[in-house]
Amino acid sequence: MGQTKVSIDGVVRDEQDAVISVFDRGFLYGDSVFEVMRTYGGSRLCGETDHLERLYESARRVLIKMPVSMDVLRKEIATTIEQAGNDESYVRIVVTRGSGPLTYDLSTATQPSRVIVVTPLAVPDPILYEQGVSVSLVRVNRPTDCGTAVGVKASNYLANLLALHEARSRGAYEAIILGSSGAVLEGASSNVFAAHGGVIRTPPPEAGILVGITRQAVERSANALNVNFVETALFPSDLYSADEVFITSSIREVVPVVRVDGKSIANGHPGPITVRLHAEYRKLAQANAL
Ligand SMILES: Cc1ncc(COP(=O)(O)O)c(C=O)c1O
């Protein structure tokens, strides 16, 4: 039987006992950074080192001092997964700047807190991969689109949540975020790719995207499969005219996109490059090779 366990500052608790102060700045201001990953084979975390390195880099970029070393955090994550005992787990790590008085001044925060939530993984419905999904383009400005936090995995996802809501209200599965110039950036919680004539194109890190761990694995797989992979600006017309479009994330792996704002991509079915990349990704993830 699957269950949720939460480690707060190194102490593992049941879900109902996992509490944090209402004065925590993560709660008050979204003043925290996070990572999401999943297990394969019960306890093996896919891309764990990449995720942890990104977490420490996110914290550094927003001036949160990580409270423990990566090795300590790694052990705490492993203990929490073990105590949850799920077939497969979804793992969310949040590091908040900590509590303090109700001022915005960073220097008033006390000790950063680390929270590890381990919960049974809801495996994506296989129909997503068989039939593909639809996406909708939404123009929004996010707190991490410019300034010092660009590309950081910061917890303030309100703009992404609202973009997803808008996309869902149009009947789409995922929102594709357009930046202020109208360029395609990424999904609300995924990276986006378009294939034209056998070449995969995706926006570069400088566009202000979160450089996904899955995106990096897909780039390596594309190279291994001799499929050209190019980082370049993408615009909506590039999606509409693509032979294939797909999105990636750690939980959903590689998901074919068959409609953009109601317009069919090519023949409206998952494309062969997407299917190959997904098979390769899953094979490597299951073999603990990512
Ligand atoms: C905005 C955004 N872009 C991209 C991704 C994909 O990142 P990853 O492949 O590391 O899960 C996510 C994942 O949550 C995300 O929130």
Side-chain angles (χ1 to χ4, degrees):
M1 251 290 281
Q3 58 179 332
T4 297
K5 289 281 182 187
V6 184
S7 168
I8 302 179
D9 296 333
V11 180
V12 180
R13 299 169 196 278
D14 291 333
E15 186 176 350
Q16 64 276 13
D17 302 325
V19 291
I20 196 150
S21 167
V22 294
F23 291 98
D24 184 90
R25 297 174 62 99
F27 168 69
L28 288 170
Y29 316 127
D31 189 1
S32 57
V33 292
F34 76 108
E35 279 297 322
V36 172
M37 40 189 159
R38 59 156 290 184
T39 60
Y40 286 85
S43 59
R44 285 181 286 101
L45 281 167
C46 182
E48 182 179 21
T49 299
D50 290 337
H51 280 281
L52 292 182
E53 283 175 355
R54 188 170 67 183
L55 180 71
Y56 279 69
E57 175 61 10
S58 291
R60 189 189 69 75
R61 296 266 309 282
V62 300
L63 310 174
I64 292 177
K65 189 173 176 320
M66 284 298 291
V68 289
S69 69
M70 205 180 282
D71 276 349
V72 169
L73 189 61
R74 214 187 273 272
K75 286 191 189 111
E76 290 177 359
I77 296 167
T79 304
T80 317
I81 292 173
E82 195 187 318
Q83 293 203 18
N86 299 321
D87 288 345
E88 296 292 4
S89 289
Y90 166 108
V91 177
R92 188 179 192 96
I93 306 161
V94 183
V95 179
T96 102
R97 200 180 301 279
S99 299
L102 294 170
T103 81
Y104 297 148
D105 184 350
L106 299 188
S107 69
T108 60
T110 56
Q111 176 68 6
S113 274
R114 58 197 187 277
V115 176
I116 302 160
V117 181
V118 174
T119 198
L121 177 76
V123 182
D125 190 333
I127 207 155
L128 297 185
Y129 306 102
E130 287 157 21
Q131 297 189 351
V133 300
S134 59
V135 299
S136 186
L137 308 180
V138 183
R139 195 182 282 230
V140 285
N141 290 314
R142 301 164 304 168
T144 50
D145 279 338
C146 55
T148 50
V150 68
V152 165
K153 198 160 169 74
S155 301
N156 190 331
Y157 258 45
L158 186 57
N160 300 47
L161 305 188
L162 293 174
L164 180 64
H165 177 74
E166 193 168 330
R168 290 272 162 102
S169 67
R170 297 178 194 155
Y173 166 80
E174 169 70 310
I176 299 295
I177 293 177
L178 303 181
S180 52
S181 69
V184 170
L185 298 183
E186 61 190 323
S189 60
S190 56
N191 289 114
V192 64
F193 306 76
H196 293 84
V199 178
I200 297 172
R201 297 197 284 160
T202 194
E206 307 81 73
I209 60 163
L210 180 78
V211 181
I213 306 302
T214 322
R215 177 187 184 277
Q216 291 170 6
V218 161
E219 179 177 5
R220 289 194 300 271
S221 290
N223 291 333
L225 297 172
N226 279 325
V227 177
N228 285 326
F229 183 99
V230 180
E231 290 180 341
T232 184
L234 285 184
F235 290 90
S237 56
D238 297 315
L239 298 187
Y240 300 141
S241 64
D243 302 326
E244 303 182 30
V245 173
F246 61 91
I247 55 174
T248 62
S249 80
S250 297
I251 301 297
R252 291 165 296 175
E253 306 171 334
V254 178
V255 180
V257 172
V258 293
R259 269 182 310 282
V260 178
D261 278 336
K263 298 179 189 59
S264 280
I265 303 305
N267 63 6
H269 295 290
I273 295 177
T274 310
V275 171
R276 269 169 78 203
L277 285 173
H278 184 219
E280 180 69 8
Y281 181 86
R282 195 168 264 185
K283 188 181 85 188
L284 294 175
Q286 288 174 342
N288 197 20
L290 290 175

